[in-house]
Structure formats: structure tokens, C-alpha cells
Amino acid sequence: TINARDTELPTGTFTVNMTTGKTWTAESDVEWMTIEPSSGGHGDIITVSFDKTKLVEGMNKGMVIVSEVGSTRQRAGLVNVTFVIPPPPKFTVLPVSLTYTIRHDDPPGPTAGVRITGDTPQSWTAEASHDWIVLGSTSGNVPATLVVTFDRSKLAAGLNQGTITVRDGEGYHEKTVTVKITYIPEGGSEPDYRVYFPLIYIIGQ
């Protein structure tokens, strides 16, 4: 059995027994299986290896066909490989957004924490879309808390928008954290959050 996530694949062997002095050639009848060597003599061993990128999910059947040189005699060794494709590992990144207002004279901060969880063992990488988003780390293993701070010297006055992209190490998931920072420089004014509703008159009969 071969798992799609396996990094080291199993191998198999066949020993060729024939009359001493005779030689043989061998071939695989499927593209997902290779053999080494492809020729030899009595008592030699054929090693079989597999390419999981060419396997299909479920049972895969192939044969190693050995032919005696100088005759029409052939023998075949059957190879059965079960290929398993497990579901993608769980991978969660929370919160999905970070929103802050920073004034030029505020104390250092704020500091945000992005929690990265999933099936273990599993690694992750992270990158920011803008240099004013400062990541405490760009890689690690789950579970982890990614510390995020903001460089106010690189913020523009008003609303600054960016993203943090977090990917799992196996390439199954890509999560995006939206970042919105409203920066109020010296002499700047607070954003107007007032909401105006239309005035509606109802005239009855």
C-alpha cells in the first residue's frame, strides 16, 4: 500500500532462477513501475520501484515480464499496489481579519495574535502583502500563534489595507487574513463614523 503523502516509497524484488549460463531481459508493462536491472543471469535480483504520481486511487495491477534470451520462454511476476489518497489535513487560521486605529502619539502597539491550528504534524508559512505589516515569524509548525505588529512609520494617513497569507506546508490550504489599519498622523482628525439615515415622511389620508 502506498499513501499519497508518503515521502519514501516501498520497493519490491524478484529473484530470477533459470539454467546456469542462460541470460534474461525484463520489462515492466505499466508506466508507474520501473525495474532495475533490465537484464541478467541466473540468480540475479530485479528491484521494482514505483512512481506515485502515475498511480490511480485504489488497486493498481502491473507485471514484470522476464524473457529468456534466445528462446520464446517468458515468465511474469504480478505486482499489486493499493494507492490511498487521504483527505486534506485540517488547517485553520483565526481571526480572519485584523482592524485597528492607530494615532501617532499612541504607545507602541498594538500587537495581534493569529492562531494557526491543524492536524499534526504539519508546518506552515506566512507572508505579508505590505512592509508595514510586521510578522513575528514566517514559518513554523502547528499549533502556533503568529505575532503581528504594525510599523507606523510606514503607514499612510487614513485607511491602510493589506493581507497576511498563511499556507500549510503540504500545499493543501491557503488562508488570508485581512488587515485594516486606520492611521491618524499628528494634526490629523478622527475618522467620521456617524451614520445618517434618510428622513421619511408618511402622509396619511
Side-chain angles (χ1 to χ4, degrees), residues 201-205:
Y201 292 94
I202 300 177
I203 301 176
Q205 294 181 348

Side-chain angles (χ1 to χ4, degrees), residues 156-175:
L159 179 62
N160 298 259
Q161 299 188 73
T163 59
I164 301 169
T165 303
V166 185
R167 301 178 179 88
D168 76 295
E170 297 185 49
Y172 287 101
H173 301 277
E174 180 177 294
K175 305 291 186 179

Side-chain angles (χ1 to χ4, degrees), residues 39-60:
S39 62
H42 170 68
D44 289 342
I45 295 174
I46 299 173
T47 300
V48 179
S49 56
F50 311 103
D51 182 349
K52 69 178 180 180
T53 65
K54 297 177 180 178
L55 292 166
V56 297
E57 187 173 11
M59 179 65 73
N60 296 259

